[in-house]
C-alpha cells in the first residue's frame, strides 16, 4: 500500500495530538514530525519533503508566526510543494487559502471522516491524469498502428509508458528523495575562530543556556560550548529536539523518565535531571504522547 508522509505544524500541542491520533487511523499515512512555529515548520518541510502538511494558519499565539505566508515561503525553495491541508477553527480564511492553492481546508477538530474525504479527493486527483492519458492513447491507437511500420516508431504499449504524468513524476521524485534525507545523519558544526568542531546531532543529550552562549552535553559525558543563544538552536533544530525550559532543549531520545510532580526529565545513563517549566508543559505532554504513539506498553 502506498504511504504518504506528513508533518503537523501547529502551536497547540493538544491539536497536534488530536490530528496525529486521527491520522494514525489510516495505514496510508506515515508521521514524520511536528513543529510549533513558523521556523521549525519550514525547517522540517525543507528537510523531509513530506507529501502532506497539516497547517494551522490562524493561531491565537501570534509568536508562532503561523499564517498563509508560510506557503508563500515554501515557493521560494521548492518547485513541487507538499499538499497543504489547512486545519483551523474558522472559515474566514478559506477564500484566501484557495488563492494559495491549498489541497484541503478542514475545521478543527479534525475527524476520521475529514481524512477519508481528503484521501478520496487525492485518489480522484491521481486517477484523472491516468484517465486522460488512456483516452489519448485510445484515440491515437488506430493511426499509430497504421503508420508504425512506415515511421519505425515504438510499439503502442511502450509509447503509452512515455506519455508524461506530472503528478506521478512529482511523487516518484519525493519518494526517492525522502529515504536519502532520512538516512543521512545531521552533523552539527561548532565554529570558532577557524576551529571546526563536528558532532553527530544524535549524540547530543541536551542544550543548556549560559547567558549568550549555550553548553551542549553529549552522551559521552563531554560538554562543548557554542557562542550562540539557546533561542538560536531552538530555531534551527527539529525533532527529536524540543524546548522544555527557558534554559533547556532536550533530545527526546535520551529521556528515561518524566516526573510531573517534580517537573524534571531524567537522562539515560546519567544522574542528571533536566527541569521543565509550566511555560513549556505542552511540549512535555507532546513528548509523552510521542512515546505512547510508538511500540509501547503501559503498565
Amino acid at each position: 500500500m502506498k504511504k504518504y508522509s506528513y508533518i503537523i505544524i501547529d502551536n497547540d500541542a493538544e491539536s497536534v495530538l488530536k490530528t496525529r491520533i486521527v491520522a494514525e487511523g489510516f495505514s496510508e499515512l506515515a508521521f514524520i514530525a511536528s513543529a510549533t512555529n513558523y521556523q521549525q515548520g519550514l525547517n522540517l518541510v525543507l528537510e523531509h519533503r513530506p507529501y502532506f502538511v497539516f497547517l494551522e494558519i490562524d493561531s491565537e499565539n501570534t509568536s508562532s508566526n503561523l499564517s498563509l505566508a508560510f506557503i508563500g515561503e515554501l515557493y521560494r525553495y521548492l518547485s513541487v510543494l507538499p499538499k497543504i491541508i489547512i486545519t483551523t477553527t474558522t472559515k474566514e480564511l478559506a477564500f484566501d487559502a484557495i488563492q494559495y492553492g491549498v489541497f484541503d481546508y478542514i475545521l478543527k477538530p479534525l475527524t476520521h471522516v475529514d481524512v477519508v474525504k481528503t484521501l478520496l479527493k487525492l485518489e480522484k486527483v491521481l486517477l484523472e491524469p491516468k484517465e486522460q492519458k488512456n483516452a489519448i492513447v485510445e484515440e491515437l491507437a488506430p493511426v499509430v498502428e497504421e503508420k508504425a511500420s512506415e515511421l519505425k516508431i515504438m510499439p503502442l504499449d511502450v509509447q503509452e509508458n512515455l506519455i508524461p504524468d506530472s503528478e506521478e513524476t512529482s511523487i516518484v521524485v519525493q519518494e526517492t528523495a525522502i529515504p536519502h534525507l532520512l538516512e543521512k545523519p545531521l552533523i552539527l558544526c561548532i565554529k570558532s575562530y577557524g576551529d571546526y568542531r563536528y558532532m553527530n546531532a544524535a549524540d547530543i543529550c541536551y542544550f543548556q543556556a549560559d547567558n549568550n552562549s549555550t553548553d551542549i552535553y553529549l552522551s559521552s559525558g563531554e560538554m562543548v560550548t557554542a557562542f550562540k543563544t539557546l533561542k538560536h538552536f531552538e530555531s534551527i533544530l527539529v525533532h527529536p529536539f524540543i524546548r522544555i525550559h527557558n534554559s533547556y532543549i532536550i533530545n527526546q531520545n535520551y529521556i528515561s523518565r518524566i516526573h510531573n510532580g517534580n517537573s524534571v526529565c531524567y537522562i539515560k545513563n546519567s544522574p542528571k535531571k533536566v527541569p521543565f517549566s509550566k511555560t513549556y508543559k505542552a511540549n512535555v505532554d507532546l513528548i509523552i504522547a510521542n512515546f505512547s504513539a510508538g511500540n509501547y506498553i503501559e503498565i
Side-chain angles (χ1 to χ4, degrees):
M1 179 178 293
K2 193 174 187 62
K3 286 278 189 178
Y4 300 104
S5 59
Y6 70 94
I7 283 172
I8 304 171
I9 304 176
D10 193 325
N11 74 293
D12 187 331
E14 184 177 351
S15 291
V16 171
L17 181 57
K18 288 180 178 179
T19 298
R20 185 173 175 186
I21 289 173
V22 172
E24 286 183 348
F26 296 84
S27 57
E28 302 97 320
L29 300 177
F31 176 72
I32 294 179
S34 62
T36 58
N37 60 52
Y38 181 102
Q39 191 60 52
Q40 286 180 355
L42 181 63
N43 291 343
L44 273 179
V45 173
L46 296 183
E47 180 181 1
H48 296 292
R49 302 290 292 277
Y51 194 81
F52 286 118
V53 172
F54 292 90
L55 175 66
E56 167 64 78
I57 57 171
D58 191 28
S59 171
E60 293 182 0
N61 180 2
T62 56
S63 65
S64 67
N65 294 323
L66 295 177
S67 70
L68 286 168
F70 179 86
I71 302 174
E73 184 70 3
L74 291 180
Y75 277 106
R76 291 183 56 197
Y77 302 101
L78 303 176
S79 55
V80 178
L81 265 63
K83 295 194 182 302
I84 307 295
I85 301 173
I86 301 301
T87 55
T88 190
T89 57
T90 176
K91 296 179 180 179
E92 294 178 3
L93 296 171
F95 179 78
D96 292 335
I98 291 172
Q99 307 307 305
Y100 277 85
V102 302
F103 186 73
D104 213 343
Y105 193 101
I106 300 174
L107 295 182
K108 290 180 178 178
L110 189 77
T111 67
H112 182 87
V113 174
D114 290 327
V115 179
V116 168
K117 291 177 179 178
T118 297
L119 292 176
L120 288 174
K121 184 186 297 186
L122 174 66
E123 183 179 344
K124 182 179 178 182
V125 169
L126 296 181
L127 283 176
E128 283 177 352
K130 294 180 181 179
E131 291 170 354
Q132 293 170 3
K133 180 180 71 175
N134 292 337
I136 294 171
V137 171
E138 195 172 318
E139 183 179 345
L140 294 178
V143 177
V144 173
E145 289 175 0
E146 182 180 344
K147 299 293 184 180
S149 59
E150 179 183 342
L151 299 177
K152 297 181 181 178
I153 58 178
M154 290 176 285
L156 185 59
D157 57 343
V158 177
Q159 295 175 45
E160 182 178 353
N161 292 330
L162 294 179
I163 294 178
D165 184 331
S166 58
E167 186 69 30
E168 286 187 345
T169 302
S170 66
I171 294 172
V172 170
V173 170
Q174 289 184 2
E175 289 181 340
T176 54
I178 288 172
H180 173 72
L181 289 171
L182 293 178
E183 290 170 5
K184 192 171 183 179
L186 174 64
I187 304 296
L188 196 63
C189 175
I190 306 301
K191 179 183 174 183
S192 177
Y193 301 104
D195 180 19
Y196 295 79
R197 173 62 187 271
Y198 301 100
M199 62 190 78
N200 289 326
D203 294 335
I204 298 173
C205 297
Y206 63 93
F207 297 78
Q208 181 175 358
D210 184 9
N211 294 320
N212 290 324
S213 63
T214 300
D215 294 332
I216 304 171
Y217 288 84
L218 305 178
S219 58
S220 63
E222 188 179 2
M223 187 271 284
V224 179
T225 298
F227 294 99
K228 296 286 185 181
T229 63
L230 195 68
K231 186 175 180 63
H232 172 78
F233 285 102
E234 182 184 17
S235 70
I236 63 172
L237 293 171
V238 295
H239 181 83
F241 295 98
I242 188 166
R243 191 162 186 172
I244 60 171
H245 190 280
N246 282 338
S247 298
Y248 292 93
I249 292 173
I250 199 166
N251 182 341
Q252 296 180 44
N253 294 333
Y254 284 95
I255 295 177
S256 63
R257 178 183 177 187
I258 296 175
H259 197 302
N260 278 312
N262 294 335
S263 298
V264 293
C265 295
Y266 290 73
I267 301 296
K268 291 179 181 178
N269 303 317
S270 170
K272 177 66 179 181
K273 302 174 186 178
V274 177
F276 60 84
S277 60
K278 291 182 179 179
T279 306
Y280 294 95
K281 181 61 168 59
N283 286 351
V284 176
D285 291 339
L286 184 58
I287 294 172
I288 294 172
N290 286 339
F291 278 121
S292 63
N295 191 8
Y296 174 83
I297 297 176
E298 188 172 296
I299 302 171

